Amino acid sequence: MMGKPEGLKLIDENGYRLDGRKKYELRKIKMEVGVLKSADGSAYVEWGKNKIMAAVYGPREIHPKHLQKPDRAILRVRYNMAPFSVEERKKPGPDRRSVEISKVIRGALEPAVILELFPRTSIDIFIEVLQADAGTRVAGITAASLALADAGIPMKDLVAACAAGKIDGEIALDLNKEEDNYGEADVPVAIMPIKNDITLLQMDGYLTKEEFLEAVKLAIKGAKAVYQKQREALREKYLKIVEEVGE
Ligand code: UDP
């Protein structure tokens, strides 16, 4: 969120955004499950220009041991941006932003995982942003949730996520980098659709109460569409296995 250059219009007179989308349109999303050989579960998501890999290890014995919980597994999340993922090379390693994002992603995923089944273990999630174009936390949550399912970890539901925001005074779905930079607000949301739970809700920028509610509703709609794509991606993986067995 920064000052918009004089005269820059994010929505034109016909209602189209700079990348050709309408106000309530998602970017193009592709998901693939089970892409890494050495992880217990993995998923790759392309979401507009975002490219994100998620890998899951576990449940496995925790080291150091004093971190073990006698009655359940612990979930650990590392969100990381590759130095080449952004226009201005990012210094490698954790910074304040990635520590915060790791924490909120853990909070978004934790309610879905049935941790009590695996006492004394950890489930470790690595989210690697290979290319970033705004919305990486929601794309990361979406990928991580698929990777957990791919690892066979029992879950109450998949977690699906999406953001909505405000650009040129209007509420719009799924802001890209330019819109995130020069827009007025961004509201990322994560949901577990079966029980209508919200597991992540943040806001950057300024909105009235009415606009905030409109953005949350729109983001939930977007997340529900993402959820359908997640289910398709999982189905796809198992279809492939069935086909292979057939051969
Ligand atoms: N970004 C960047 N350099 C950084 C951090 C972020 O260029 O060091 C860009 C990147 O494209 C990211 C976007 O800014 O996706 C928005 O970042 P934000 O913190 O709002 O999180 P996100 O929308 O990715 O969840």
Side-chain angles (χ1 to χ4, degrees):
M1 247 93 296
M2 48 171 100
K4 194 169 71 163
E6 273 286 310
L8 175 67
K9 281 180 100 181
L10 296 173
I11 304 179
D12 73 14
E13 51 285 349
N14 299 316
Y16 287 100
R17 294 152 69 172
L18 289 170
D19 61 7
R21 282 183 292 154
K22 300 289 272 184
K23 266 194 319 191
Y24 301 150
E25 207 177 320
L26 278 171
R27 285 176 280 184
K28 219 171 146 193
I29 301 177
K30 282 198 320 202
M31 303 176 185
E32 203 181 335
V33 177
V35 290
L36 298 176
K37 226 171 78 185
S38 320
D40 294 319
S42 59
Y44 175 64
V45 170
E46 285 185 5
W47 184 317
K49 291 182 196 152
N50 290 311
K51 295 186 177 180
I52 294 176
M53 184 70 81
V56 167
Y57 292 88
R60 60 182 178 182
E61 198 182 331
I62 307 186
H63 297 285
K65 271 203 155 126
H66 68 87
L67 293 176
Q68 294 184 354
K69 300 264 190 239
D71 56 338
R72 61 186 170 91
I74 63 165
L75 195 65
R76 296 189 288 199
V77 174
R78 190 187 75 183
Y79 163 101
N80 181 55
M81 268 184 150
F84 50 78
S85 66
V86 288
E87 256 154 53
E88 216 164 291
R89 178 183 180 276
K90 195 206 152 285
K91 230 172 80 198
D95 53 12
R96 264 182 54 160
R97 176 177 170 277
S98 62
V99 170
E100 182 225 305
I101 293 181
S102 299
K103 182 175 182 297
V104 296
I105 291 181
R106 185 171 67 75
L109 295 169
E110 197 164 42
V113 183
I114 307 176
L115 296 169
E116 305 78 49
L117 292 176
F118 306 104
R120 279 183 267 280
T121 67
S122 74
I123 297 167
D124 296 305
I125 303 176
F126 298 89
I127 296 169
E128 294 292 327
V129 179
L130 306 176
Q131 189 167 286
D133 196 59
T136 58
R137 81 194 60 200
V138 290
I141 290 167
T142 300
S145 167
L146 283 174
L148 283 166
D150 183 43
I153 291 170
M155 291 158 83
K156 296 175 189 152
D157 197 356
L158 287 168
V159 182
C162 190
K166 184 178 171 190
I167 49 174
D168 286 359
E170 306 204 46
I171 301 301
L173 186 63
D174 186 24
L175 307 192
N176 66 25
K177 178 77 164 60
E178 219 168 9
E179 295 172 328
D180 185 83
N181 278 353
Y182 303 126
E184 291 98 78
D186 190 39
V187 180
V189 171
I191 59 169
M192 294 199 294
I194 293 175
K195 288 207 166 159
N196 268 324
D197 283 327
I198 293 180
T199 63
L200 174 124
L201 178 54
Q202 295 186 287
M203 182 174 96
D204 185 19
Y206 295 95
L207 294 173
T208 65
K209 202 165 107 187
E210 288 71 29
E211 288 170 337
F212 174 71
L213 284 175
E214 193 188 335
V216 171
K217 277 188 197 156
L218 185 60
I220 290 175
K221 261 197 189 161
K224 286 189 173 166
V226 168
Y227 184 69
Q228 291 313 322
K229 289 179 198 286
Q230 287 174 305
R231 291 169 53 109
E232 268 165 43
L234 281 168
R235 205 172 294 133
E236 194 94 349
K237 179 201 151 179
Y238 289 105
L239 275 178
K240 230 183 260 170
I241 293 173
V242 171
E243 275 164 22
E244 278 166 18
V245 170
E247 283 159 19

